[in-house]
Amino acid sequence: RKERKSHGAARKRARSGDCDVNAGDFISRLPDAVLGTIISLLPTKDGGRTQILSRRWRHLWRSAPLNLEVITGPPGSYPRHHHPSAVHHSAVSKIISQHLGPARRFCLKHLIDGDLPEMESWLDSRALISLQELDIINYTGYKTGYTLPQSVFRSASTLLVAKIMGCNFPDAITRSMNFYLLNQLSMDCVSISGDVFHGLLSGCHALESLAMLEVHAAGCLRVSSPTLRSIGFRKGSRKRAELVLEDTPRLERLLLPYCDRNNSATIRVIWAPKLQIFGPFSTGACELRVFQVAATDIIQHSYMEMVIFYVGCFLQGMSPVSSTNSIHTVKVLALGCSEHQLGAVLDVLMWFPCLEKLYVTFHAHYRTFKQNEHHYDPLHPACLQTHLKRVVFKLFKGSKQQIEFVMFFILYVKLLKKIEFQVCGDYYNTEFVARQRALLKVGNRASRYAQFTFRNTSGCTDDHVTKHIHDLSLADPF
């Protein structure tokens, strides 16, 4: 009976807003600013629902930073479980009029063909004047002709994160734009001219990570940024694309997720003196050329032209490698190949004499790229003798060709400390691991201290590489 009375009293205090320690409501005792931040991190609908918790919470949503996620399309035309946190676009005007506080994030998920006239009025409203995050996602694709409105970057001076997907950039959108705080920019399946792209980057004064995934551009994409540390690039159209890294003094990683072997792209790295992480790309479909920029430049600051042909050709026409044109800064490299392409992998490694960690993914669909492998010089590439310490083999199945591939590194990499085998789930078991250890156990290996580890993996995709374009906290995105 006493217990029922205490519960009843707690319910009365909750309804009246009189929350204390005895009621167990410690959260409501936090300052309004903290509670407002918590609400702003909730999905739009859940943030609005906090008003029913108690009188203490009733006014908080109206003044908390707004997290507004909007979805277009006729009601019932899309699965609600795919977009549970989004509100229908018909409710946006009411939400904006009732919310008195600033807006933190605006996300538009566009599911219908054509423009959305209401968006101009939303972005011009006082409620969305100081956005920190902006997501414009057009699921119908840029080919439907959806063009970003002129007001989409009205909050340019306050934006921290921006993602544009499936849209066309108008030629005048970036004129006189200054993104003083923008730290992350993602462009996925967009159409943009080279001049607009250059103007957009010129206005970014704090940009650290840039994702260009299926950017369809008329002309060359030239990147010059004193602040960029990470770039992700994936070409989508069947026309040849060109990316030129002209002046990127702080660039640390160049990530190439989900490169399509049927397409081609040219990547030129002219100035990236801190580039340490590179890949993944296919050894069976690339050509590397390295040229010195000028005699006065530091030896490591070389001109690198990488032409990626996804048409099945091998490394061709490579310039002779020397200490004056190799890339000394790269420490981590990821490659994709077949088990028949040891020679192609070694040719690529010639350009990275200071490589410390190598990822090799065995792709079954690369088996058509067969080469006649004969004699290899164990003294070259230089990284095998001086720097390489760790090798990771992904999609390892223990075939005879894969064992021979791995054995080369065991016999000739002098400073090797660890080889990791990521095995597909269908192959992994204790008998498999024991058999592989027996096959790899040799007495004349180059490093007596090398350790072998086996991991069970469900598969190998580049999803994690794409995610880590913006995640700079992880030292190794592979």
Side-chain angles (χ1 to χ4, degrees), residues 321-323 326-333 335 342 344-360 377-391 408-409 411-417 446-447:
V321 181
S322 69
S323 61
S326 54
I327 306 154
H328 290 247
T329 58
V330 173
K331 309 295 183 185
V332 181
L333 179 69
L335 303 173
L342 176 58
V345 170
L346 297 179
D347 286 340
V348 172
L349 297 186
M350 296 281 282
W351 301 95
F352 307 100
C354 298
L355 190 68
E356 297 179 358
K357 190 173 182 180
L358 173 65
Y359 290 85
V360 176
D377 184 354
L379 298 179
H380 295 90
C383 65
L384 302 184
Q385 306 297 316
T386 57
H387 290 86
L388 190 61
K389 298 180 178 67
R390 183 175 177 183
V391 183
F408 179 88
F409 290 87
L411 295 176
Y412 296 114
V413 180
K414 290 189 174 182
L415 301 182
L416 190 63
K417 292 183 177 179
S447 173

Side-chain angles (χ1 to χ4, degrees), residues 26-41:
F26 295 97
I27 294 179
S28 293
R29 302 184 65 184
L30 294 171
D32 284 7
V34 176
L35 295 177
T37 300
I38 294 173
I39 293 173
S40 71
L41 297 175

Side-chain angles (χ1 to χ4, degrees), residues 250-397:
R250 294 189 62 199
L251 187 66
E252 300 169 5
R253 55 178 72 178
L254 177 57
L255 306 180
L256 310 171
Y258 289 113
C259 287
D260 187 350
R261 294 170 57 225
N262 296 318
N263 292 334
S264 61
T266 301
I267 300 176
R268 291 191 177 96
V269 181
I270 298 176
W271 185 251
K274 294 186 178 181
L275 183 63
Q276 297 184 23
I277 301 173
F278 186 33
F281 67 92
S282 167
T283 58
C286 72
E287 181 177 340
L288 290 173
R289 299 194 194 106
V290 181
F291 304 94
Q292 192 70 12
V293 178
T296 56
D297 290 330
I298 299 176
I299 214 171
Q300 291 91 335
H301 299 165
S302 57
Y303 177 104
M304 178 179 71
E305 178 182 285
M306 180 181 70
V307 186
I308 304 180
F309 298 101
Y310 295 101
V311 291
C313 64
F314 295 106
L315 291 152
Q316 303 172 5
M318 295 176 62
S319 305
V321 181
S322 69
S323 61
T324 60
N325 62 12
S326 54
I327 306 154
H328 290 247
T329 58
V330 173
K331 309 295 183 185
V332 181
L333 179 69
L335 303 173
C337 66
S338 80
E339 59 264 33
H340 303 284
Q341 293 180 277
L342 176 58
V345 170
L346 297 179
D347 286 340
V348 172
L349 297 186
M350 296 281 282
W351 301 95
F352 307 100
C354 298
L355 190 68
E356 297 179 358
K357 190 173 182 180
L358 173 65
Y359 290 85
V360 176
T361 301
F362 292 118
H363 290 290
H365 54 275
Y366 288 175
R367 288 175 181 171
T368 55
F369 298 145
K370 291 189 178 182
Q371 294 173 313
N372 294 321
E373 308 285 10
H374 294 294
H375 175 71
Y376 310 113
D377 184 354
L379 298 179
H380 295 90
C383 65
L384 302 184
Q385 306 297 316
T386 57
H387 290 86
L388 190 61
K389 298 180 178 67
R390 183 175 177 183
V391 183
V392 179
F393 293 103
K394 297 186 177 184
L395 296 183
F396 182 77
K397 299 178 181 179

Side-chain angles (χ1 to χ4, degrees), residues 385-431:
Q385 306 297 316
T386 57
H387 290 86
L388 190 61
K389 298 180 178 67
R390 183 175 177 183
V391 183
V392 179
F393 293 103
K394 297 186 177 184
L395 296 183
F396 182 77
K397 299 178 181 179
S399 67
K400 178 182 177 182
Q401 292 80 10
Q402 289 182 355
I403 291 293
E404 292 175 353
F405 193 110
V406 173
M407 195 63 72
F408 179 88
F409 290 87
I410 296 174
L411 295 176
Y412 296 114
V413 180
K414 290 189 174 182
L415 301 182
L416 190 63
K417 292 183 177 179
K418 184 177 181 180
I419 295 182
E420 180 178 314
F421 300 90
Q422 296 187 7
V423 185
C424 295
D426 294 339
Y427 292 85
Y428 187 89
N429 54 56
T430 54
E431 292 80 7

